[in-house]
């Protein structure tokens, strides 16, 4: 027997400005959607102080041996899985450092599975490994998803840090979160379709959160991905380019340093910047939490002003202004 739930959330409201969207031309439809999308970064900006506090807690948790857990259903869960999966090739994040729990598991990634988001007990079961050392981030556009609520409730019981990302400022699950990030994206262009603005907001929040955590953990040097894993030809070329940009070395010298370091970018970079051997570079990195900057300082490497060497900032240019599209409102169909 099926049951119904009345969801009270801004994402379920009917947008008065898009009521006539089905009567517009294709280009007009796209302009309407684009104009709505353009409001999302501003909504995310409003929660940046809360997000910064969460990043700092997550960094401290990871440094103490904790794990970051994402929990979501539907679009929220798929975005969580995507963000966690991309941390390995981008930052060489250790397996299990960021774990995504999606209601319904792998099957639900590619097709909807009935009732899984309503199963609070499964949410509890899926995060049963959570400890007080961990951080659990729940993602739900409506702010009420029972699967997420079950996970956050168990995390609270275990003493873990809890957070909730939602597009509902009055989220039902907010009391379960130590850190509530209400990204007020408002009504969707297509009523209730939270894969649109709400999903975009979650993608931006997760990208910013995980990237900031990785930067704070020393997995970049300047704005270079010095922990990137070269799993294909494009990435192997990127590794070589990063080495050259960061050190000013010739292509031959960069290749040689990379070979001496068994293909590992960080020890190759330290070697090029301070003239150490690959094993000495590895030891310095291990002793300094994997941070290139701290490893260089430990090895006594200095730049022109006595500080640890650092890549120069690239030359920047002012981007050309883009024309602002006029958005037709249309009439209700």
């Amino acid at each position: 027997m099926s049951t119904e739930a009345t969801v009270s959330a801004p994402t379920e409201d009917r947008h008065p400005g898009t009521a006539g969207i089905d009567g517009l031309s294709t280009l007009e439809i796209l302009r309407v959607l684009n104009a709505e999308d353009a409001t999302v970064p501003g909504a995310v900006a409003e929660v940046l102080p809360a997000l910064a506090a969460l990043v700092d807690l997550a960094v401290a948790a990871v440094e103490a041996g904790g794990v970051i857990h994402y929990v979501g259903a539907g679009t929220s869960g798929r975005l969580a899985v995507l963000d966690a999966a991309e941390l390995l090739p981008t930052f060489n994040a250790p397996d299990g450092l960021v774990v995504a729990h999606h209601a319904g598991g792998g099957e639900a990634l590619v097709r909807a599975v009935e009732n899984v988001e309503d199963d609070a007990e499964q949410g509890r079961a899926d995060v049963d490994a959570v400890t007080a050392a961990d951080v659990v981030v729940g993602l739900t556009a409506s702010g009420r998803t029972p699967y997420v609520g079950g996970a956050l409730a168990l995390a609270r019981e275990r003493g873990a840090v809890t957070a909730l990302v939602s597009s509902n400022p009055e989220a039902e699950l907010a009391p379960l979160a130590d850190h509530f990030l209400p990204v007020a994206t408002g009504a969707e262009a297509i009523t209730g379709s939270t894969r649109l603005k709400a999903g975009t907001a979650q993608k931006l929040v997760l990208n910013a959160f995980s990237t900031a955590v990785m930067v704070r953990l020393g997995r970049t040097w300047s704005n270079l991905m010095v922990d990137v894993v070269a799993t294909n030809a494009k990435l192997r070329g990127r590794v070589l380019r990063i080495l050259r940009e960061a050190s000013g070395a010739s292509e031959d010298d960069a290749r040689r340093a990379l070979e001496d370091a068994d293909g590992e970018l960080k020890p190759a970079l330290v070697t090029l910047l301070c003239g150490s051997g690959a094993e000495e570079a590895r030891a310095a990195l291990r002793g300094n939490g994997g941070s290139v900057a701290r490893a260089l300082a430990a090895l006594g490497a200095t730049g022109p002003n006595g500080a640890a060497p650092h890549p120069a900032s690239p030359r920047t240019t002012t981007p050309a202004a883009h024309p602002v599209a006029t958005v037709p409102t249309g009439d209700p169909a």
Side-chain angles (χ1 to χ4, degrees), residues 8-285:
S8 178
T11 54
E12 299 297 317
D13 293 342
R14 192 174 180 192
H15 196 309
T18 63
I21 194 169
D22 60 337
L24 302 179
S25 71
T26 300
L27 180 57
E28 288 171 333
I29 291 170
L30 294 175
R31 283 176 171 157
V32 166
L33 295 175
N34 182 249
E36 288 298 306
D37 289 342
T39 69
V40 176
V44 172
E46 294 297 318
V47 302
L48 291 184
L51 185 58
L54 182 62
V55 167
D56 289 342
L57 284 169
V59 170
V62 168
E63 290 179 333
V67 173
I68 298 170
H69 296 263
Y70 295 156
V71 185
T75 296
S76 301
R78 294 183 187 101
L79 290 170
V81 170
L82 176 65
D83 192 77
E86 290 180 339
L87 298 181
L88 173 60
T90 306
F91 298 108
N92 196 20
D95 188 34
L97 180 67
V98 179
V99 180
H101 307 277
H102 182 214
E107 182 184 357
L109 285 174
V110 293
R111 60 176 57 85
V113 177
E114 187 176 3
N115 294 328
V116 290
E117 74 171 48
D118 295 327
D119 194 340
E121 288 305 310
Q122 189 60 53
R124 293 178 65 91
D126 284 356
V127 298
D128 189 54
V130 165
T131 73
D134 297 342
V135 174
V136 179
V137 182
L139 301 127
T140 162
S142 68
R144 63 162 296 277
T145 307
Y147 175 82
V148 175
L152 289 176
L154 182 130
R156 261 286 178 84
E157 293 166 14
R158 297 281 174 83
V161 172
T162 58
L164 178 68
V165 180
S166 175
S167 287
N168 184 358
E170 304 297 326
E172 181 181 318
L173 299 181
L176 294 175
D178 302 317
H179 301 270
F180 179 36
L181 286 74
V183 187
T185 51
E188 296 288 1
I190 305 299
T191 307
S193 182
T194 53
R195 58 183 283 274
L196 298 175
K197 290 190 297 183
T200 300
Q202 290 177 349
K203 180 72 163 65
L204 291 177
V205 168
L206 286 174
N207 274 173
F209 171 76
S210 59
T211 300
V213 168
M214 293 298 128
V215 170
R216 291 292 309 279
L217 288 172
R219 293 185 172 274
T220 64
W221 193 55
S222 181
N223 59 355
L224 299 173
M225 296 190 296
V226 292
D227 252 322
V228 65
V229 180
T231 55
N232 57 44
K234 180 187 76 172
L235 293 179
R236 285 191 289 274
R238 180 179 292 167
V239 165
L240 194 61
R241 187 172 70 250
I242 288 171
L243 271 180
R244 296 187 63 193
E245 287 180 356
S247 67
S250 67
E251 183 170 338
D252 287 343
D253 286 345
R255 286 185 185 279
R256 191 175 305 112
L258 198 58
E259 289 171 4
D260 290 345
D262 298 323
E264 294 182 54
L265 196 160
K266 274 187 174 180
L269 177 57
V270 172
T271 296
L272 286 170
L273 290 171
C274 72
S276 68
E279 287 308 313
E280 186 180 6
R282 281 197 186 90
L285 287 163

